[in-house]
Amino acid sequence: MKTTDIRIAGLGTYIPEIVDARKAVELGLYDADDYEFYGWTGAAVAGDMPAPDMAIAAARQALERSGLHPHDIDLHIHACGHEQGPEGWSPQHYILRHLTDRDVPSFRVWQACSGLIGSLELAACYLKAVPERTAALLTGADNVGTPHFNRWAFGIQNGVVGDAGSAVLLSKADGFASLLSINTGSTAEVEEQYRGNEPLFPPSLTLGRGIDFKERLAATGGLEETVAEVVRRQGELRTEIALRTLAEADLEPSDVARVCHVFTGQESYLKVILDPMGLSPEQGLLDFGRNLGHLTVNDQIIGLTHLVETGQVGPGDHVLIVAHGGGVSITCAVVRIDQRPAWATS
C-alpha cells in the first residue's frame, strides 16, 4: 500500500538493564556452546516490571517528542508476543488509561514478532478512512521473564529474548519522517509447524507448560528439515513484500540507507534476510541488536529510534523496515527521514 500524508511524529523506547550473556553462561542459564556460536552478547531484562508499564513509558516519551497532546490521539493499538497480565484483562486499555482520557478505540494485536510493524498498516488505514482522524498511537511491549520461559534458550532462530517497550505516533498533520509504503502478508500453512502436536484445547499456558519450539517443529518432520522449509517459505514472501514495498515508494534497493530488522547475534542469519533483497548486513543493526536480545515486537522501532537518535540517518535517507513473526506473518515498510528531530544527536 502506497501511503500519502502519513507521518511519524514521535518515537519512544524503554530498554531495561542489560545482562551480559557471559553472566548467563556462568549461572547455567545459557549454553556455553550456544554463546560461542550464536554471537549474542547480552539481553535486556526487566525483572518484575510489567510489560504494559514499559509500553506506557515508551509512549510518554513518544508523545513528548512529537509535540502532540494526548487528546490528539484518535486510535491506540498495542502489540505483544507474550502474556501481559491477568487472563481476561485488557492491557491495551490499561495503557490507554494512563495516557489520555479520550474514549478512543484501543485494540490489542497479536502477530507474533511482527505485530507492532503490522499495526502501522492498520493505523494508517484507520487514519485515512475519515478526514477528521489525525493521530494514532502504537505501542509494543513484552517481559518474557516468567517461570516457564528461559529467555536464554528460546530454541529457534538462534534466539536470546530480551524485554522492552516501544511506541510510535503516526500523524496526518506533521512529523519528522514519512511512511511511504507498507505491505503485509501471511504464510498461513506454516502455522502447522509452529503448532506441532500440541492440542488446541486446553491451552498449554493453562496447564503450566513451557514453550518448546524445537519440540513443536520436530513433531511434523525432522527438526532441521522443518526449519529449513519454514525459512525458505518465509524468505520467499518476505523478499517479495520488501521489493514490492520499495517499488511502491518509487525506490530501488540501492536507494535504501539502512534496514531495521529482527535482532540477531549472527551475521549469517542477517544475510539470509537481506541478501535476496540486494542489501547487506552493514546496512542493518547487528552490533546494536546482539547486545539487547530479540525484543519480540519491538526490534524494528527500537532500531529506528536508535538510528535517528544517533544521527546515523538524516534528511533524505530511506529506511526499509522488515518484520516477520512466527514464520507466518510478514510486514515491510519504507520510511523517509524528512528532517532531524530536536531529540536526535546533531
Side-chain angles (χ1 to χ4, degrees):
M1 178 181 73
K2 187 170 185 175
T3 58
T4 57
D5 301 325
I6 299 295
R7 313 291 300 282
I8 297 177
L11 295 171
T13 64
Y14 181 89
I15 302 174
E17 180 182 355
I18 308 300
V19 173
D20 193 302
R22 290 171 296 185
K23 182 179 179 181
V25 173
E26 293 170 2
L27 293 172
L29 299 172
Y30 193 20
D31 182 82
D33 291 337
D34 286 350
Y35 168 71
E36 293 293 337
F37 183 75
Y38 287 120
W40 294 102
T41 59
V45 178
D48 59 1
M49 184 175 187
D53 287 343
M54 289 191 280
I56 291 167
R60 285 174 173 161
Q61 184 182 61
L63 277 163
E64 180 180 357
R65 289 173 165 180
S66 72
L68 296 176
H69 191 278
H71 286 177
D72 295 327
I73 299 171
D74 295 300
L75 170 73
H76 170 236
I77 300 177
H78 179 61
C80 56
H82 295 255
E83 288 304 314
Q84 303 284 287
E87 187 175 359
W89 171 68
S90 57
Q92 66 272 27
H93 296 108
Y94 171 86
I95 295 167
L96 184 70
R97 176 190 173 197
H98 283 78
L99 298 173
T100 181
D101 57 4
R102 288 195 67 197
D103 297 327
V104 300
S106 181
F107 296 94
R108 181 182 179 186
V109 168
W110 198 95
Q111 285 289 89
C113 300
S114 68
L116 183 52
I117 302 305
S119 296
L120 291 175
E121 185 169 9
L122 301 179
C125 292
Y126 185 88
L127 292 179
K128 290 164 68 69
V130 177
E132 290 74 22
R133 295 172 182 166
T134 60
L137 172 66
L138 300 95
T139 58
D142 272 313
N143 181 342
V144 303
T146 54
H148 299 291
F149 190 91
N150 181 359
R151 72 176 69 251
W152 303 98
F154 181 48
I156 57 173
Q157 295 180 340
N158 65 69
V160 163
V161 185
D163 307 324
S166 62
V168 190
L169 265 166
L170 295 184
S171 172
K172 291 196 298 187
D174 197 13
F176 71 91
S178 298
L179 180 66
L180 300 182
S181 57
I182 186 166
N183 288 286
T184 300
S186 303
T187 55
E189 72 277 13
V190 176
E191 68 79 22
E192 180 181 9
Q193 283 87 338
Y194 276 75
R195 174 167 38 93
N197 287 331
E198 289 232 7
L200 299 184
F201 190 85
S204 56
L205 275 178
T206 65
L207 302 176
R209 288 205 305 267
I211 299 174
D212 189 335
F213 279 113
K214 282 186 177 179
E215 180 180 310
R216 292 190 197 176
L217 289 164
T220 56
L223 178 61
E224 291 186 7
E225 294 82 356
T226 301
V227 171
E229 176 58 22
V230 171
V231 170
R232 181 197 66 79
R233 181 69 178 92
Q234 182 183 68
E236 288 177 349
L237 183 60
R238 182 175 56 224
T239 301
E240 186 274 320
I241 291 176
L243 296 179
R244 171 159 47 96
T245 303
L246 283 169
E248 287 179 351
D250 299 319
L251 299 172
E252 300 287 342
S254 59
D255 296 313
V256 174
R258 299 298 295 269
V259 185
C260 295
H261 50 79
V262 61
F263 290 158
T264 178
Q266 281 191 317
E267 182 177 346
S268 59
Y269 182 73
L270 190 53
K271 286 175 67 68
V272 167
I273 297 172
L274 299 183
D275 276 1
M277 302 173 189
L279 301 167
S280 69
E282 288 73 24
Q283 293 170 278
L285 292 154
L286 179 63
D287 288 335
F288 174 70
R290 68 178 7 149
N291 193 47
L292 301 175
H294 167 38
L295 303 178
T296 66
V297 300
N298 302 290
D299 288 346
Q300 292 79 9
I301 295 305
I302 285 179
L304 179 61
T305 305
H306 172 70
L307 291 176
V308 175
E309 279 181 337
T310 57
Q312 294 183 54
V313 293
D317 286 337
H318 295 97
V319 179
L320 176 66
I321 299 176
V322 180
H324 58 263
V328 177
S329 57
I330 296 166
T331 298
C332 296
V334 175
V335 169
R336 182 187 66 224
I337 309 300
D338 298 319
Q339 61 192 59
R340 192 181 304 278
W343 46 269
T345 302
S346 60

